[in-house]
Amino acid sequence: MAIYKPTLNFLNTVRIETKYSKSYVLDPRDALFLSTVKDVEPTIITEVSDLLGLGFTTTDKMYKKVSDTLAQGGINTITIYGVDTVANSTMTPELIMAAYEDNAMAINYTILIIDDVDTVAKATPWSTAFKPLTDSKHLFLQLNKVANTIEEINQFKLDSNIDNLTIFVSDNNQNIDNVDSITWARVRNRDLGSYIVHSTEVRGVRKPDFTKTEQVNLKDMGLNFISNPIRGKFHIQNGLASNEQPTELNLYKLWELWTLQERLTRLQIEKDKIPMNDSGFAMIEGTIKGVIFTAANMGIAKTVNGDPFGTEVRTDDNNNSVSYLLGEVELQFPSEEDIRNADFKFRYFHTLLDGIRHVDVSGYISQTGELIIGGEQ
């Protein structure tokens, strides 16, 4: 058996002792597998058989999800947590997530995968809980066409309409070929800036039981499912979040927010006092730009001659040359109140590789350790 309780040495990640602590994730695709049918302390497993030692059986939905995940290859560890929502009927999604964060053994995660939320009725409270978490978490939900109609699933997607929820549709209610955990496994073991969820190839699955009409409807609705366009080849169709934007765009943004939070917090700790003058502004500006240059090196941010803040000249429909600023960092000149509180307010944006979409982030940093980062694409 290879079960590990999280420790600093095992994780080998940066720990910064502030209220933003735990340990910073290095990748926004790190996931937490949540059971809603068993109480389980945060535990890292390396084999599906490890679940047996935690009280699961081979017929449990969690067992099947983990088995499908590991079968894709490239995944070495999975973090498991559980709350028995039958025995603890008052535990709402918000309370479950808060209980996890308060657990001393909790590990930071961004993507949440749940074992037993397969109907619209069960999914709706989770979508509501994730709506205010757009700058920190992303929810993968798998609904099936047996317990729900495709039209009901689509209406749920339309009602949710948030960029941090990706809805997957399964052709069965037996948790065979779990498209949510399979998709996570396939995108997690590739470089962050080198993939798109749409057309991601998946392995070891059977031909899905969708009619041609159902496949057309799922595709047109922007729902995510396993498609079989060529005999013996299977891939994820659409790859969209519930707001119909590519799922990876939100993951890119989350990576930037986590990285920026880590680096700005490091800056505060290392410098102790950031002066409220041009020197302090230069420190913060340099930190923000460093994150964006890292994003460019990872294949996320668009550049002109290697500069994500450069100006790109394009030709419009009328054959006119138009200049586009790819990115910019703005630091707000402090008011008298800001000077007294030693507050730095900032905003930045940059262009993604497609040349159309942007990441736009605003934030606030203080010398008291308070750091609030938020923004939208």
Side-chain angles (χ1 to χ4, degrees):
M1 182 175 292
I3 297 179
Y4 297 93
K5 294 298 183 182
T7 67
L8 180 60
N9 290 337
F10 174 73
L11 292 174
N12 194 28
T13 55
V14 176
R15 182 175 290 278
I16 298 177
E17 296 301 330
T18 71
K19 70 177 183 178
Y20 310 101
S21 192
K22 295 266 196 294
S23 56
Y24 286 104
V25 293
L26 300 181
D27 192 295
R29 297 164 297 171
D30 287 343
L32 174 67
F33 280 56
L34 173 68
S35 172
T36 59
V37 298
K38 293 187 187 299
D39 289 323
V40 181
E41 289 293 300
T43 306
I44 296 172
I45 65 171
T46 61
E47 302 171 4
V48 66
S49 59
D50 294 340
L51 289 174
L52 302 178
L54 299 176
F56 293 95
T57 69
T58 57
T59 59
D60 283 332
K61 294 179 178 179
M62 179 60 76
Y63 190 96
K64 295 180 178 180
K65 283 188 184 290
V66 171
S67 179
D68 283 352
T69 301
L70 296 177
Q72 296 302 307
I75 301 297
N76 298 318
T77 62
I78 292 177
T79 304
I80 305 292
Y81 178 64
V83 174
D84 184 343
T85 55
V86 174
N88 302 280
S89 58
T90 60
M91 292 294 283
T92 63
E94 291 86 353
L95 290 176
I96 291 173
M97 289 188 289
Y100 177 80
E101 294 297 331
D102 289 339
N103 193 300
M105 295 184 292
I107 301 170
N108 263 339
Y109 71 94
T110 299
I111 295 175
L112 184 66
I113 296 174
I114 314 175
D115 62 350
D116 195 30
V117 177
D118 55 4
T119 66
V120 169
K122 292 180 179 179
T124 299
W126 283 99
S127 172
T128 301
F130 265 70
K131 191 167 186 177
L133 304 178
T134 183
D135 291 322
S136 60
K137 304 294 183 190
H138 196 108
L139 179 61
F140 277 16
L141 284 180
Q142 176 175 288
L143 307 181
N144 66 69
K145 74 166 190 174
V146 178
N148 319 267
T149 67
I150 291 175
E151 289 72 24
E152 288 172 338
I153 297 173
N154 183 54
Q155 188 59 53
F156 169 64
K157 186 204 78 166
L158 295 173
D159 292 342
S160 298
N161 190 31
I162 52 178
D163 57 0
N164 62 334
L165 167 63
T166 301
I167 302 167
F168 300 90
V169 181
S170 170
D171 66 337
N172 68 93
N173 63 347
Q174 301 301 312
N175 279 77
I176 299 170
D177 297 340
N178 290 277
V179 61
D180 57 346
S181 60
I182 287 173
T183 301
W184 174 73
R186 296 302 293 154
V187 302
R188 179 59 184 87
N189 58 27
R190 297 185 62 184
D191 291 339
L192 179 60
S194 68
Y195 74 91
I196 57 174
V197 178
H198 173 67
S199 294
T200 294
E201 185 177 355
V202 297
R203 303 169 180 170
V205 299
R206 77 210 188 321
K207 184 176 181 180
D209 184 24
F210 291 119
T211 66
K212 288 185 178 180
T213 299
E214 286 175 333
Q215 291 186 61
V216 170
N217 289 339
L218 288 167
K219 184 177 184 300
D220 291 345
M221 292 172 177
L223 294 168
N224 307 293
F225 62 102
I226 294 177
S227 178
N228 181 211
I230 304 173
R231 180 175 297 178
K233 295 288 185 180
F234 302 89
H235 71 221
I236 303 303
Q237 180 68 52
N238 285 328
L240 301 176
S242 67
N243 65 345
E244 298 194 352
Q245 294 294 313
T247 295
E248 61 271 12
L249 296 186
N250 192 54
L251 299 182
Y252 293 162
K253 183 186 77 171
L254 293 181
W255 172 85
E256 287 191 17
L257 294 179
W258 278 108
T259 305
L260 185 60
Q261 177 173 310
E262 177 186 1
R263 294 187 186 180
L264 287 176
T265 304
R266 278 176 176 269
L267 178 66
Q268 290 189 92
I269 292 172
E270 292 171 356
K271 297 297 182 183
D272 186 31
K273 294 292 184 180
I274 301 175
M276 181 60 76
N277 54 30
D278 289 343
S279 176
F281 273 55
M283 292 179 191
I284 295 177
E285 182 179 30
T287 300
I288 296 172
K289 286 188 173 181
V291 172
I292 301 172
F293 272 102
T294 301
N297 292 334
M298 295 173 69
I300 296 174
K302 187 177 180 62
T303 66
V304 173
N305 297 323
D307 183 6
F309 303 100
T311 300
E312 182 180 51
V313 178
R314 306 177 191 172
T315 303
D316 65 15
D317 294 339
N318 297 319
N319 209 32
N320 297 316
S321 294
V322 181
S323 296
Y324 292 88
L325 182 64
L326 294 183
E328 186 176 28
V329 177
E330 299 175 354
L331 295 172
Q332 181 178 320
F333 189 80
S335 64
E336 289 186 7
E337 181 180 355
D338 289 337
I339 291 175
R340 287 196 302 271
N341 295 329
D343 298 338
F344 289 89
K345 298 175 182 177
F346 62 85
R347 173 186 173 270
Y348 77 84
F349 79 91
H350 73 80
T351 307
L352 295 170
L353 276 185
D354 63 4
I356 301 173
R357 297 180 177 90
H358 299 79
V359 172
D360 195 332
V361 175
S362 60
Y364 162 104
I365 183 174
S366 77
Q367 292 185 4
T368 62
E370 185 176 14
L371 176 58
I372 298 174
I373 298 176
E376 59 185 26
Q377 258 166 240

